[in-house]
Amino acid sequence: MSMSIPSSLPQFPWCVSLPWTERIPLQLPSPSREPVIAVLGQDIVLPCRLSPRMSAANMEVRWFRSQFLSFVHLYRDGKDQFEGQIPEYHRRTELLKAGLTDGNVDLRILSIRLSDEGRYICFVSDDTLSEETVLELRVAVRDPQTVPPLLWFIHEFMELTPLCIFPLALGSVPLISVEGHQDGGIWLVCRSAGWYPEPEVLWKDLNGEHLPSLSETKSQGDNSLFKTETAIIVKEQSNQHLSCYFRNTVLRQEKESAVYIAGEFPLMSHTQINTRTKTT
């Protein structure tokens, strides 16, 4: 029984109809539905792995966009294959072979371009097994003014899909406020806005140990920037000196606010808040 593979994929997600029933479950790192954020001009690794773990060294690994036969990168018969590769990716892709025996089929793309943004399909197969999964890549820029004006004109003149520019943004200095008392402790809330991509948020004690938050809410405005609020209840005097961290994982920069609470719990005679910005 033969398998027919269409030359173009009209919609996503798309799955090949196979004459066998056994499949390789492909799994993305959690959270699997979050887009991969790349910075314009820098390199990025698109993650994909087999689960349960098994060697992919003798399998076919194909990364493609909308057309199966026109690929971003193809590994087959134990080596990279370049005939049929999309010209825009020539000498810009690398399958990270060091992880193949562990089932990792990650793809590195060099010198990210705006045209690289969109969906990528990771397809793995051998003589009896086959499966695929989809990733979304977004391209962010440090300064939207660096985008060539001609590129904007071409997209508008040719009525192409709107060009989405995601400016990397380091948000506001976190603001810590005392909201009152709850469950025998002091209720603190930390807020910050203007982040892209979605920031990592942490509470830490004086020794740098992570503290569990009571709640965390995030919203994205019309400008695509994220606003985040996180709350914690402080019950122990040993945790009277706390810090709230917001981190841009792409820029590898963070902003931090610290609060020192003086007084007997659950009452509070004095609260001193110091704010500082930290870059890593």
Side-chain angles (χ1 to χ4, degrees):
M1 184 176 182
S2 61
M3 177 179 64
S4 176
I5 300 177
S7 59
S8 62
L9 309 179
Q11 59 185 1
F12 295 93
W14 175 83
C15 297
V16 179
S17 178
L18 300 172
W20 46 82
T21 57
E22 187 176 7
R23 298 293 180 93
I24 305 172
L26 284 182
Q27 177 181 319
L28 292 177
S30 180
S32 61
R33 295 303 178 187
E34 291 296 319
V36 177
I37 306 295
V39 180
L40 183 67
Q42 296 186 7
D43 302 344
I44 190 66
V45 173
L46 302 182
C48 187
R49 67 171 179 258
L50 303 179
S51 179
R53 188 172 65 179
M54 64 185 74
S55 175
N58 296 320
M59 297 183 182
E60 175 182 318
V61 179
R62 181 185 298 260
W63 284 87
F64 64 98
R65 301 289 303 268
S66 60
Q67 294 188 346
F68 185 88
L69 298 180
S70 298
F71 53 83
V72 174
H73 194 96
L74 175 61
Y75 171 86
R76 187 170 57 196
D77 298 329
K79 60 183 179 180
D80 297 318
Q81 308 287 338
F82 299 103
E83 184 177 354
Q85 184 181 36
I86 300 173
E88 288 76 9
Y89 292 97
H90 182 56
R91 295 184 177 179
R92 292 181 55 230
T93 62
E94 176 190 5
L95 188 71
L96 304 185
K97 299 181 181 64
L100 284 177
T101 55
D102 292 326
N104 296 319
V105 291
D106 302 344
L107 180 72
R108 175 182 286 126
I109 302 179
L110 308 177
S111 301
I112 285 293
R113 306 170 181 175
L114 290 173
S115 58
D116 294 333
E117 184 169 276
R119 290 192 175 188
Y120 289 77
I121 298 178
C122 172
F123 177 89
V124 181
S125 67
D126 65 9
D127 293 337
T128 59
L129 308 169
S130 178
E131 193 56 279
E132 65 184 39
T133 193
V134 180
L135 293 85
E136 183 78 21
L137 176 65
R138 290 183 181 174
V139 178
V141 297
R142 295 180 183 272
D143 181 4
Q145 300 300 322
T146 60
V147 180
L150 179 59
L151 188 58
W152 294 99
F153 173 78
I154 291 175
H155 271 253
E156 182 175 358
F157 180 77
M158 298 185 67
E159 297 182 351
L160 299 177
T161 302
L163 183 60
C164 296
I165 300 299
F166 297 91
L168 287 172
L170 198 62
S172 60
V173 174
L175 175 64
I176 299 177
S177 60
V178 180
E179 302 291 331
H181 300 87
Q182 183 175 328
D183 299 331
I186 298 173
W187 183 19
L188 299 179
V189 176
C190 183
R191 300 178 176 90
S192 183
W195 293 83
Y196 191 87
E198 183 178 320
E200 178 183 39
V201 183
L202 295 172
W203 287 97
K204 296 183 182 180
D205 62 14
L206 183 60
N207 298 319
E209 297 294 329
H210 295 181
L211 299 173
S213 62
L214 175 67
S215 63
E216 185 175 311
T217 59
K218 298 179 181 179
S219 60
Q220 192 172 17
D222 294 337
N223 57 1
S224 297
L225 300 181
F226 285 91
K227 176 182 179 181
T228 303
E229 175 180 306
T230 181
I232 191 172
I233 294 179
V234 182
K235 294 184 178 181
E236 302 176 9
Q237 289 185 331
S238 60
N239 287 335
Q240 287 180 307
H241 192 150
L242 304 177
S243 294
C244 174
Y245 289 80
F246 278 69
R247 177 175 170 81
N248 186 311
T249 56
V250 177
L251 290 175
R252 297 183 180 179
Q253 293 180 326
E254 64 185 28
K255 290 191 175 183
E256 168 195 0
S257 289
V259 57
Y260 175 72
I261 304 174
E264 296 295 329
F265 282 68
L267 300 178
M268 179 178 57
S269 62
H270 175 67
T271 300
Q272 176 182 332
I273 297 181
N274 297 316
T275 299
R276 61 184 179 271
T277 300
K278 180 180 178 182
T279 301
T280 58

